[in-house]
Amino acid sequence: MRHTGSGGSGLGIGPGGLLGALPRTAAFLVGSLSLAACEMGTVPATTLAPKSDYGRVSHDLFLSILWWDVGIFLLVSVLLLVAIVRFRERDPEALPVQVRGNAKFELAWTIAPVLVLTLIAFPTVRAVFRTQSTPPAGALRVRVTGHQWWWEFEYLELGFRTATDLHLPVGRPVALELHSPDVIHSFWIPQLGGKRDTPPGKVNRIVLRPTVPGIYPGQCAEFCGASHANMRINAAVETPADFDAWVARQKAPPPAPPDGSAAAAGLQVFKAGPCVGCHSVQGVSGGIVGPDLTHVGSRQAIAGGVLSTTPENLARWLADPPGVKPGSIMPNFHLSPADVSALTAYLLSLK
Ligand code: CUA
């Protein structure tokens, strides 16, 4: 093996070095792929385990493009190796053969990428149109609004709103209408399909049909300010019966807190304080700046999905919202510990 580093080429790697590096590269790639495969079981936010027709389309596109890439990589690697071996420097003093242009080669390496890119473009464009087309009749319509920094879901025909938790029935087409009143967010639940932006003033759409029940995490995927990372989604795909039961609970008014309970005291704090200016609770208040809290106690998470819904977390959030979610529009109202405790009891009673 002869290294050319001290000789003419200055590349510092001879054919033997490159050949030696290939098995290591292959081992690294195989290792990475098997790691990714292992993680699919433990890390649910993946596009590699699609759970909707849209997710399946994206995944199939990814695989077809991956195989094109592997083919091109192998072809280029072989040509590179042939060139390195065949045209290596043999005599440091001799001037290499001088060549200028080759019409056939230049035509070939112009036309080949055009063909490959065209073959990739057709299924890609078709998938984009298909996943934002007019929804089929009977689709569940959900108006999705990206706010700084939480996601709102309004079930248009069913007449209620939720925040962070998105419930969908398995097998039924869903038409998501994406809005934003402030800046560009991007709605993304990796297992249910590709991400799509929410430019203010424009309505984007996602049409998909969930295929497997489960809870799939999502995340805003466009940098949108201080708490961009704290703008999450929990999508629960349920059997039609479970979904219908959930809908019935969402449409019902929340239970009135029993007289003399901590929740009843919390309701008084809620009504007398600043909460009603921004939040709705069916039958109590009608604010629309922050999330509708009618059934907040039944949601998996609060504060844009940053905290799971527990008494400790809710108290922590009420005591200092910007401390939990930097830049939070809900300010620190410096509530007394007694008010925090009463409000926590009330909000958790809203099942
Ligand atoms: Cu909203 Cu990033």
Side-chain angles (χ1 to χ4, degrees), residues 267-323:
L267 172 59
Q268 295 315 312
V269 176
F270 185 85
K271 287 205 265 191
C275 316
V276 290
C278 293
H279 294 283
S280 287
V281 171
Q282 192 181 326
V284 176
S285 62
I288 54 163
V289 176
D292 185 312
L293 300 177
T294 302
H295 293 285
V296 66
S298 68
R299 291 182 197 146
Q300 293 185 59
I302 54 166
V306 180
L307 300 175
S308 57
T309 311
T310 66
E312 299 74 29
N313 284 342
L314 193 49
R316 190 180 143 205
W317 167 250
L318 292 170
D320 182 13

Side-chain angles (χ1 to χ4, degrees), residues 146-151 182-186 198 219-225 227-231:
H147 296 271
Q148 282 174 315
W149 289 277
W150 55 285
W151 289 99
D182 42 49
V183 299
I184 303 176
H185 305 274
S186 188
T198 66
Q219 165 73 49
C220 179
E222 176 73 38
F223 180 69
C224 56
S227 272
H228 156 66
N230 302 323
M231 191 171 164

Side-chain angles (χ1 to χ4, degrees), residues 68-84:
W68 278 107
D69 292 348
V70 168
I72 292 167
F73 172 76
L74 290 177
L75 178 71
V76 170
S77 301
V78 168
L79 291 176
L80 184 64
L81 284 173
V82 168
I84 287 170

Side-chain angles (χ1 to χ4, degrees), residues 69-293:
D69 292 348
V70 168
I72 292 167
F73 172 76
L74 290 177
L75 178 71
V76 170
S77 301
V78 168
L79 291 176
L80 184 64
L81 284 173
V82 168
I84 287 170
V85 174
R86 193 165 157 197
F87 303 107
R88 70 187 184 280
E89 182 191 71
R90 293 188 170 84
D91 175 2
E93 303 303 321
L95 193 65
V97 179
Q98 301 297 296
V99 292
R100 177 179 304 178
N102 182 317
K104 277 184 197 157
F105 275 134
E106 287 180 17
L107 269 177
W109 66 54
T110 304
I111 290 172
V114 168
L115 274 179
V116 171
L117 289 179
T118 307
L119 287 173
I120 289 174
F122 272 109
T124 306
V125 172
R126 200 170 56 208
V128 169
F129 278 95
R130 182 176 146 193
T131 56
Q132 57 185 8
S133 59
T134 313
L140 175 70
R141 284 177 64 211
V142 183
R143 183 186 161 106
V144 175
T145 306
H147 296 271
Q148 282 174 315
W149 289 277
W150 55 285
W151 289 99
E152 178 171 42
F153 305 110
E154 180 177 4
Y155 289 74
L156 291 168
E157 282 115 358
L158 302 173
F160 61 85
R161 298 160 195 262
T162 67
T164 303
D165 281 19
L166 172 67
H167 288 243
L168 301 172
V170 71
R172 181 170 165 193
V174 181
L176 303 172
E177 300 171 14
L178 311 177
H179 297 255
S180 168
D182 42 49
V183 299
I184 303 176
H185 305 274
S186 188
F187 180 80
W188 192 29
I189 303 170
Q191 282 174 288
L192 296 186
K195 60 174 95 77
R196 203 152 281 162
D197 284 4
T198 66
K202 180 179 188 320
V203 182
N204 275 342
R205 287 169 203 285
I206 292 179
V207 178
L208 61 82
R209 190 172 53 81
T211 50
V212 183
I215 293 184
Y216 307 116
Q219 165 73 49
C220 179
E222 176 73 38
F223 180 69
C224 56
S227 272
H228 156 66
N230 302 323
M231 191 171 164
R232 303 176 197 171
I233 304 157
N234 295 310
V237 173
E238 303 167 314
T239 62
D242 285 350
F243 178 75
D244 290 345
W246 176 79
V247 168
R249 289 196 299 275
Q250 297 301 303
K251 289 171 91 164
D259 284 344
S261 64
L267 172 59
Q268 295 315 312
V269 176
F270 185 85
K271 287 205 265 191
C275 316
V276 290
C278 293
H279 294 283
S280 287
V281 171
Q282 192 181 326
V284 176
S285 62
I288 54 163
V289 176
D292 185 312
L293 300 177

